[in-house]
Amino acid sequence: MATTLRDLLDDPALGLSLLVDGDLDRPIRWVHVSELADASPYLDGNELILTTGIWRQRGTEALDFVRALETKSVAGLGYGLLNPCDSVPHGLIRACRDEGVPLVLVPTETPFIAISQRFVERLHNKREGDLRASLAFMSDLIASADSPDPATGLKAVARILHRETGHGAWITDGSGRLLAHTGRMPDRDYLQTVAQNMRIHPNSNGSVRALRNGSRITALIGLAMDNTGILAQARLEASVPVVGLVLARERTIRETERRLAGELVSLILARQEQAAAARMTSYGLNPHKPNVAIVAAVADAETALGDAERWLDAEGLNGVVTLRASQLHLIIEDSATTSHADAYASTLVRAVTATAAGVGTLAPDIRSLRKSLVQARQACELGVRRGGGTVVSQQLAGRHSLLLALQDQDVLDSFRDALLAPLEDYDAKHSGDLVPTLRAFLTSGGKWQQTADHLNVHVNTLRHRLARVEEVTGRRLDDTSDRVDLWLALETLRSET
């Protein structure tokens, strides 16, 4: 706190007496001794002026002397007695009372230098205290950045800001999504409005600071107050790089976890059960206990991935999530039944704004987890074709797509190449479009005119192409067995993805 006239009056070592009351809590800028008739040209305001009244011997009136000081809004006037029998002039007391300038009596045993020394001591102590407080503040901030858990680190920063400023603090990401806060939870619409305004007008809010990556706002740090003082603004500014450090660590951890989660799903799909089991253990998942797979189709993949990670935390679920193409793949530890996972999938769809989700059967251990993943992928694709919603694995019974997806990829590749490689070679050399023509014909159920219309060709052109297909493959399109083989070969292209 700054030194005030009240502080000096309360100091028994100085022995000052109040003669004219006024604003005794105004911070004193400095202590000056002046015997000039007009000291105002040398003042900046809020000084305590000490005088023995020598200016009176030069004919200066007390009212003129005081008025000159009041033009600079001095904090007060101290009148020093040179002899014990002296007294403060009544004219000076009256002038101070009229002009609203506090007046104190300085006894003969108190030299002016004692007052100056006491003021400097208090100023030094204050500055030393401010420096210690700033060092402690920065030390606490740095300690929060060292927190192994980024969420805990951000909460610590918010608590430190609250402690230092006396106001609630909050931290959001660039979109206004709340990451940490103290005090009353800020309104969500307010935070989003602040984020939008800061993007348009970067300096529009004195109680908010933005962390930027180039022109993009990555985080906002704010105080729940309208007018921030210099100290609060300094504390806000100091917190920005620390929040940036915490978020950078969080991004590094998250990106590593995402990469490892992607490798886990790849290991399971590749039937590398031993390596997958070790990876599951590192995630806190037990490969020897029931787990279930959920796959969700999403439009905004990166946003959905972050939403899914937060959904797992919010639901208190032990699991991992990764992104493959435009699908989220989740493995969740579950000791219940598949119907329980169906409920998870329904809430997941809302949390990540998924177009569809698929649920695999409950896998008793890691040996069955690949089947659950494949089922979930196929169920998700079925959900997309149906126009959205959640599909559970039981609805896949009897579907050839699931049968293909569960096969060894080398077997599928060999089967497909035996039938389709000759057609693909022919198309590459002659631009014959035999593969897409065959797919369109079989998809239509063997309807000639419908297929021709779909391909936008004459029906005779279609007949010529399909005759070429039979010639190249050695299969007949009027034979059901051959049609099934060709259709399954075409479907293996989809099952690969």
Side-chain angles (χ1 to χ4, degrees):
M1 295 291 292
T3 300
T4 65
L5 192 55
R6 188 184 304 278
D7 295 328
L8 298 178
L9 285 166
D10 291 341
D11 190 333
L14 296 178
L16 305 181
S17 302
L18 181 65
L19 299 179
V20 176
D21 202 356
D23 184 1
L24 304 182
D25 297 315
R26 180 191 297 183
I28 297 175
R29 180 185 181 89
W30 201 253
V31 176
H32 284 297
V33 177
S34 177
E35 301 296 346
L36 297 175
D38 181 5
S40 61
Y42 309 101
L43 303 178
D44 293 321
N46 293 322
E47 293 92 349
L48 171 61
I49 305 301
L50 303 178
T51 183
T52 58
I54 295 177
W55 43 270
R56 296 173 59 225
Q57 300 174 9
R58 304 189 189 103
T60 302
E61 296 293 331
L63 183 59
D64 293 334
F65 179 79
V66 173
R67 280 179 174 172
L69 298 179
E70 176 55 22
T71 61
K72 290 295 185 171
S73 298
V74 295
L77 176 63
Y79 193 87
L81 300 179
L82 297 177
N83 299 298
C85 58
D86 291 344
S87 62
V88 180
H90 292 292
L92 181 61
I93 296 174
R94 185 168 53 253
C96 287
R97 186 177 294 116
D98 291 343
E99 296 300 319
V101 176
L103 176 64
V104 298
L105 171 64
V106 181
T108 54
E109 61 270 20
T110 302
F112 285 170
I113 194 172
I115 300 175
S116 298
Q117 286 177 339
R118 188 54 53 91
F119 172 80
V120 170
E121 287 174 3
R122 293 180 63 91
L123 181 63
H124 171 76
N125 291 338
K126 177 185 179 301
R127 289 178 177 174
E128 181 180 357
D130 290 344
L131 178 58
R132 291 182 181 276
S134 295
L135 291 175
F137 169 72
M138 290 305 303
S139 177
D140 290 345
L141 276 183
I142 293 172
S144 69
D146 286 336
S147 173
D149 176 28
T152 302
L154 292 178
K155 290 177 182 177
V157 172
R159 284 196 300 270
I160 293 167
L161 285 174
H162 192 170
R163 181 195 71 197
E164 292 290 319
T165 64
H167 295 274
W170 49 262
I171 301 171
T172 73
D173 63 12
S175 67
R177 182 177 62 85
L178 190 63
L179 301 177
H181 79 283
T182 58
R184 192 177 70 177
M185 180 177 291
D187 180 72
R188 180 179 178 182
D189 292 338
Y190 165 76
L191 294 178
Q192 292 178 344
T193 300
V194 169
Q196 183 178 3
N197 289 341
M198 289 294 287
R199 286 192 290 270
I200 301 173
H201 306 291
N203 301 315
S204 62
N205 196 326
S207 62
V208 179
R209 292 294 183 273
L211 176 67
R212 298 178 182 274
N213 183 4
S215 61
R216 184 172 65 90
I217 295 177
T218 58
L220 294 171
I221 307 100
L223 295 172
M225 57 190 302
D226 294 329
N227 299 311
T228 52
I230 294 177
L231 176 62
Q233 291 185 22
R235 295 297 191 250
L236 270 176
E237 291 287 354
S239 69
V240 172
V242 176
V243 170
L245 182 60
V246 173
L247 291 179
R249 174 176 293 178
E250 190 268 342
R251 281 194 300 272
T252 301
I253 295 173
R254 184 175 66 244
E255 289 168 1
T256 301
E257 290 180 342
R258 287 177 175 179
R259 177 177 57 81
L260 295 176
E263 292 176 0
L264 171 59
V265 171
S266 296
L267 289 171
I268 293 172
L269 291 174
R271 291 189 172 89
Q272 298 183 33
E273 296 174 1
Q274 186 174 356
R279 184 61 54 82
M280 288 180 68
T281 301
S282 67
Y283 271 103
L285 294 170
N286 191 330
H288 306 297
K289 287 188 176 182
N291 290 275
V292 67
I294 300 175
V295 174
V298 294
D300 187 346
E302 285 300 322
T303 299
L305 180 56
D307 290 340
E309 291 167 339
R310 288 185 287 274
W311 173 80
L312 281 173
D313 291 337
E315 294 289 331
L317 296 174
N318 191 19
V320 296
V321 58
T322 187
L323 185 65
R324 295 171 68 90
S326 58
Q327 291 181 332
L328 296 175
H329 288 60
L330 294 92
I331 298 174
I332 300 173
E333 191 172 285
D334 190 356
S335 58
T337 62
T338 305
S339 61
H340 197 176
D342 186 18
Y344 292 155
S346 297
T347 59
L348 174 67
V349 166
R350 293 190 293 270
V352 304
T353 318
T355 54
V359 182
T361 55
L362 190 67
D365 54 39
I366 193 169
R367 292 173 297 177
S368 306
L369 196 48
R370 180 181 184 276
K371 180 180 178 181
S372 182
L373 266 172
V374 171
Q375 288 173 332
R377 292 173 63 181
Q378 295 297 322
C380 179
E381 292 175 6
L382 178 58
V384 172
R385 290 197 292 271
R386 287 180 175 179
T390 301
V391 178
V392 296
S393 57
Q394 288 87 339
Q395 296 173 264
L396 295 174
R399 290 185 172 270
H400 70 275
S401 58
L402 178 60
L403 181 65
L404 290 174
L406 291 172
Q407 303 308 308
D408 184 85
Q409 191 61 47
D410 291 339
V411 174
L412 292 177
D413 291 344
S414 177
F415 176 74
R416 181 197 63 221
D417 291 344
L419 291 170
L420 299 185
L423 294 178
E424 292 170 341
D425 290 342
Y426 184 91
D427 284 345
K429 294 177 180 178
H430 305 286
S431 301
D433 290 332
L434 297 186
V435 173
T437 299
L438 175 61
R439 180 182 293 280
F441 179 71
L442 295 179
T443 300
S444 73
K447 297 180 177 63
W448 293 88
Q449 191 59 55
Q450 180 179 324
T451 304
D453 293 342
H454 174 75
L455 295 173
N456 198 28
V457 298
H458 193 274
V459 71
N460 288 339
T461 302
L462 175 62
R463 292 183 186 278
H464 175 74
R465 287 184 185 177
L466 293 179
R468 185 68 66 185
V469 168
E470 293 181 326
E471 176 185 334
V472 172
T473 62
R475 300 296 185 107
R476 292 178 57 82
L477 292 177
D478 58 358
D479 182 276
T480 301
S481 177
D482 286 347
R483 278 196 184 188
V484 170
D485 287 346
L486 289 168
W487 174 250
L488 290 176
L490 290 168
E491 287 295 279
T492 60
L493 295 174
R494 291 182 179 178
S495 67
E496 283 185 342
T497 59

